[in-house]
Amino acid sequence: QVQLVESGGGLVQTGGSLRLSCAASGNLITIGAMGWFRQAPGKERELVAADTREGSKRYADAVTSRFTISRGDNAKNILYLQMNDLTPDDTAVYYCAADVADEVFYGDYTYMGPGTQVTVSS
């Protein structure tokens, strides 16, 4: 089992930045792919950034060039999402996710955190 806890959400103005963090615990050796999802009110949950076991990254079109996913250099159990140039369309609950597979670009991940709220004001 793997447990995930997100932090770093909050309220920011349009054009601002936030960095989300995700701390993983439990059976860490099983973790392969990790990613960040988000779900806005009335919308389906979407995968915004994915990181494979080998370090390849993939982003949703809406966040490419603004968001960066990364893992801690010395702490592989930490996942980050750097979000720049935020707009009200980025307002959502953001979820950290992990899977035993090497890469997951579609569908659900095995493990997911409780989420952290990001609100961007206009």
Side-chain angles (χ1 to χ4, degrees):
Q1 287 290 325
V2 172
Q3 294 78 43
L4 304 169
V5 178
E6 305 91 343
S7 62
L11 175 64
V12 64
Q13 291 184 334
T14 295
S17 298
L18 280 176
R19 188 174 80 159
L20 304 183
S21 299
C22 171
S25 60
N27 196 2
L28 301 179
I29 197 170
T30 64
I31 295 177
M34 297 191 77
W36 288 95
F37 286 81
R38 70 183 180 186
Q39 187 166 21
K43 295 186 178 181
E44 292 186 355
R45 188 171 60 203
E46 62 174 342
L47 179 63
V48 295
D51 183 35
T52 71
R53 185 189 296 272
E54 299 302 319
S56 296
K57 326 292 186 188
R58 188 172 293 187
Y59 300 92
D61 289 344
V63 308
T64 295
S65 78
R66 299 188 299 121
F67 289 14
T68 303
I69 187 172
S70 63
R71 305 200 198 195
D73 289 337
N74 297 316
K76 295 300 183 181
N77 65 316
I78 304 294
L79 183 72
Y80 299 106
L81 184 68
Q82 178 66 43
M83 306 185 294
N84 299 326
D85 195 20
L86 288 162
T87 75
D89 288 342
D90 296 314
T91 295
V93 178
Y94 283 73
Y95 301 89
C96 172
D99 200 275
V100 297
D102 290 345
E103 59 183 51
V104 180
F105 297 129
Y106 304 99
D108 294 330
Y109 282 58
T110 302
Y111 306 104
M112 188 166 290
T116 185
Q117 176 70 47
V118 171
T119 302
V120 185
S121 63
S122 58

